[in-house]
Amino acid sequence: MEMKCRDVGFNCDFVVRGDSEQEIMQQAAAHAQRDHGMRPEDITEELKGKIRANIH
């Protein structure tokens, strides 16, 4: 399974890969904080929904 950061709306080539939705969500949150300067409270339910919708 994977999710491309660009598909969620960011100008970013990062690709998250994992064996489960939970693993991808955790990696995506860590990436958002580390590379996009987002705080945990910036990762809204709407953003989480976009991420989930783009996991393939």
Side-chain angles (χ1 to χ4, degrees):
M1 302 174 81
E2 71 176 31
M3 186 278 305
K4 296 176 183 172
C5 194
R6 184 171 304 281
D7 292 344
V8 180
F10 292 92
N11 184 19
C12 175
D13 292 325
F14 188 77
V15 178
V16 178
R17 292 184 176 88
D19 295 324
S20 69
E21 180 180 290
Q22 180 180 356
E23 185 178 345
I24 290 176
M25 293 299 290
Q26 290 172 342
Q27 289 184 43
H31 164 70
Q33 291 174 47
R34 180 183 63 243
D35 298 324
H36 295 294
M38 296 180 79
R39 298 166 299 174
E41 58 269 23
D42 295 330
I43 303 170
T44 63
E45 289 303 316
E46 180 182 352
L47 180 55
K48 290 177 186 177
K50 285 183 180 179
I51 294 168
R52 285 186 184 98
N54 284 284
I55 295 174
H56 306 286

